[in-house]
């Protein structure tokens, strides 16, 4: 069984540019989560999808961040326009509906905004 | 809202030493508790979890954790560490009212280094 995959692994962009991060959850996992870790800080929850619906987006920092999950499969997280404070590692995790407590994490995307 | 505090950001131990990593949480309701580990170059993975029942839970690789409700604590322990336990350890919680599927609130993590 393939794990959670994320693309790209690294991204370096300039302030004001747009970046789109992608997450492919484990096949069959209805729950998909986005988290972010800014350097030196804790991993912070951003939002939670159940299939294609946003269940909880209380952690999204502001309206420069837009997450989608087309057809309940992969998810994208777009940052537009990027600011310096958006730099960090963005993690995606997924879990199955009946083992919902066991979140499987992807390797993360390291985003650097210069 | 929940918050999680991990007491030690860096811990250095020798092989065969005993380990205890502290974790305290703050939340007015009932929580689910987790410990995750990230080995160098690998993904975050679940070490163990507590939902209800026996407050002493056992996880993978010989780790265990004890939930003490009166102290809002969920400390991670291992009687004898190995060099391969070198990793970053994260304590996390979510609210039980969400059924356990909610996003997790993490502590800042503890870097554990085991010296051979």
């Amino acid at each position: 069984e393939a794990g959670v995959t994320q693309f790209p692994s690294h991204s370096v962009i300039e302030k004001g540019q747009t970046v789109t991060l992608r997450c492919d959850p484990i096949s069959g996992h209805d729950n998909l989560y986005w988290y972010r870790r800014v350097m030196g800080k804790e991993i912070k929850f951003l939002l939670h999808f159940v299939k294609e619906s946003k269940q909880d987006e209380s952690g999204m920092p502001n309206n420069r961040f837009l997450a989608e999950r087309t057809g309940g499969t992969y998810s994208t997280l777009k940052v537009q326009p990027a600011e310096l404070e958006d730099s960090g590692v963005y993690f995606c995790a997924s879990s199955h509906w009946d083992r919902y407590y066991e979140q499987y994490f992807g390797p993360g995307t390291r985003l650097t905004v210069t | 809202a929940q918050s999680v505090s991990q007491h030690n950001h860096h811990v250095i131990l020798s092989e065969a030493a005993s380990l205890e990593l502290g974790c305290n949480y703050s939340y007015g309701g009932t929580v689910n508790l987790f410990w995750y580990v990230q080995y160098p170059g690998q993904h975050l993975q679940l070490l163990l979890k507590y939902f209800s029942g026996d407050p002493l839970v056992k996880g993978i690789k010989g780790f265990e954790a004890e939930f003490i409700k009166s102290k809002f604590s969920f400390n991670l322990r291992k009687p004898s560490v190995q060099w391969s336990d070198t990793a970053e350890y994260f304590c996390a919680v979510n609210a039980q009212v969400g059924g356990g599927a909610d996003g997790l609130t993490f502590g800042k993590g503890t870097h554990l280094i085991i010296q051979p």
Side-chain angles (χ1 to χ4, degrees), chain B residues 65-77:
Chain B
E66 185 175 12
F67 171 50
I68 303 179
K69 189 175 180 180
S70 61
K71 294 185 177 180
F72 297 89
S73 70
F74 190 56
N75 293 354
L76 181 70
R77 299 195 294 247

Side-chain angles (χ1 to χ4, degrees), chain B residues 46-67:
Chain B
L46 182 64
L47 256 186
L48 48 78
K49 61 188 180 293
Y50 173 80
F51 280 15
S52 63
D54 188 344
L56 184 62
V57 293
K58 296 191 184 298
I60 60 172
K61 306 188 179 187
F63 285 91
E64 65 178 33
E66 185 175 12
F67 171 50

Side-chain angles (χ1 to χ4, degrees), chain B residues 35-107:
Chain B
W35 275 96
Y36 278 81
V37 60
Q38 187 170 27
Y39 297 102
Q42 295 189 26
H43 305 184
L44 271 162
Q45 57 182 280
L46 182 64
L47 256 186
L48 48 78
K49 61 188 180 293
Y50 173 80
F51 280 15
S52 63
D54 188 344
L56 184 62
V57 293
K58 296 191 184 298
I60 60 172
K61 306 188 179 187
F63 285 91
E64 65 178 33
E66 185 175 12
F67 171 50
I68 303 179
K69 189 175 180 180
S70 61
K71 294 185 177 180
F72 297 89
S73 70
F74 190 56
N75 293 354
L76 181 70
R77 299 195 294 247
K78 186 171 183 179
S80 177
V81 295
Q82 302 172 304
W83 178 79
S84 57
D85 293 325
T86 294
E88 191 167 15
Y89 293 79
F90 298 89
C91 183
V93 306
N94 66 7
Q96 265 200 19
V97 67
D102 288 354
L104 299 169
T105 298
F106 283 88

Side-chain angles (χ1 to χ4, degrees), chain A residues 4 31 33 35 37 40-45 48 55-56 91 95 99-107, chain B residues 34 36 38 42-46 49 51 88 90 94 99-109 111:
Chain A
V4 176
N31 293 301
Y33 307 82
Y35 295 88
R37 189 180 194 191
K41 304 278 191 177
E42 65 272 25
I43 300 168
K44 283 209 162 180
F45 165 76
H48 170 206
Q55 181 76 12
D56 179 1
F91 293 102
S95 68
R99 288 182 67 85
Y100 45 82
Y101 45 81
E102 199 157 322
Q103 295 186 25
Y104 292 85
F105 280 77
Chain B
F34 307 83
Y36 278 81
Q38 187 170 27
Q42 295 189 26
H43 305 184
L44 271 162
Q45 57 182 280
L46 182 64
K49 61 188 180 293
F51 280 15
E88 191 167 15
F90 298 89
N94 66 7
D102 288 354
L104 299 169
T105 298
F106 283 88
K108 287 190 175 182
H111 285 274

Side-chain angles (χ1 to χ4, degrees), chain A residues 32-83:
Chain A
L32 188 148
Y33 307 82
W34 282 99
Y35 295 88
R36 175 174 74 171
R37 189 180 194 191
V38 171
M39 189 182 296
K41 304 278 191 177
E42 65 272 25
I43 300 168
K44 283 209 162 180
F45 165 76
L46 297 179
L47 89 159
H48 170 206
F49 283 100
V50 177
K51 297 185 180 179
E52 67 276 7
S53 299
K54 291 176 185 174
Q55 181 76 12
D56 179 1
E57 50 184 331
S58 61
M60 294 288 265
N62 50 60
N63 59 10
R64 295 185 295 103
F65 289 75
L66 175 63
E68 294 179 323
R69 190 179 183 192
T70 308
T73 55
Y74 71 92
S75 175
T76 57
L77 180 65
K78 181 191 287 189
V79 185
Q80 179 182 29
E83 299 288 344

